[in-house]
Amino acid sequence: MESRADIEQLLKDGHTVQTVINGYSMYPMLVPDRDSVILAPLQGYVPRRGDVVLYRRDNSILVLHRIWRVRQDGVYMVGDNQTEIEGPLRQDQIRGSLAAFIRKGKHVSVGNIYYRAYALVWLWMRPIRHKVAVAVHAVKKFRRHRE
């Protein structure tokens, strides 16, 4: 796999990049060390609510998060496994956009109707995500205990 600097340069040069994700900020949609993402360069890209983009925090790390809101003062981001909104980010901090992801060998395009529905519902659920995650974890724990 490419290094993070290579990913930025490849995207800047107009190449599509596939890489394995790390970190849990986009869980449950993306699972680290299992799922990979296909990132597209930004030529002609216009940020929209619900899109997932790769951006660089000022003097810091590359982050893959979902766009919460686009405003005149910048773009506001949130990870799928987070409730706190980050922003405003400048357009020049965005390095690439998610075109698809690969889970267990299955390619899922961001144009897929089920993916788009997931993105909208997940954004809508942002204030209650933590409670939902706790409930799901409790059910899974209960099921494992019964087996």
Side-chain angles (χ1 to χ4, degrees):
M1 283 296 148
E2 296 84 8
S3 74
R4 299 299 176 215
D6 291 340
I7 290 171
E8 284 184 274
Q9 189 60 52
L10 287 166
L11 288 167
K12 186 176 180 180
D13 292 344
H15 300 281
T16 299
V17 177
Q18 180 177 337
T19 188
V20 175
I21 62 117
N22 59 31
Y24 280 91
S25 69
M26 288 301 292
Y27 182 86
M29 187 183 89
L30 299 172
V31 177
D33 300 320
R34 181 191 76 185
D35 299 335
S36 61
V37 294
I38 299 172
L39 301 169
L42 294 176
Q43 290 96 344
Y45 175 74
V46 177
R48 298 179 314 170
R49 177 177 168 85
D51 288 355
V52 174
V53 296
L54 180 73
Y55 63 95
R56 182 169 290 283
R57 291 180 174 147
D58 280 334
N59 302 311
S60 187
I61 62 171
L62 283 172
V63 179
L64 188 72
H65 279 172
R66 190 173 302 282
I67 295 176
W68 169 251
R69 181 171 287 146
V70 179
R71 292 212 166 153
Q72 290 225 280
D73 64 338
V75 180
Y76 293 80
M77 310 297 294
V78 66
D80 282 3
N81 195 24
Q82 299 174 327
T83 57
E84 191 163 326
I85 296 170
E86 177 180 3
L89 298 168
R90 299 179 315 278
Q91 180 81 24
D92 69 335
Q93 289 177 267
I94 299 174
R95 304 296 196 250
S97 66
L98 182 69
F101 62 93
I102 300 171
R103 173 178 293 138
K104 298 179 183 177
K106 184 178 179 185
H107 182 277
V108 180
S109 167
V110 296
N112 177 297
I113 187 120
Y114 297 110
Y115 168 80
R116 295 303 303 169
Y118 165 85
L120 292 174
V121 168
W122 207 245
L123 283 173
W124 176 80
M125 288 180 52
R126 185 192 60 82
I128 62 170
R129 284 183 195 165
H130 179 71
K131 292 175 181 160
V132 171
V134 168
V136 168
H137 178 69
V139 168
K140 285 182 178 180
K141 187 176 179 181
F142 176 75
R143 290 172 103 191
R144 280 189 299 245
H145 182 69
R146 288 186 63 198
E147 292 176 354

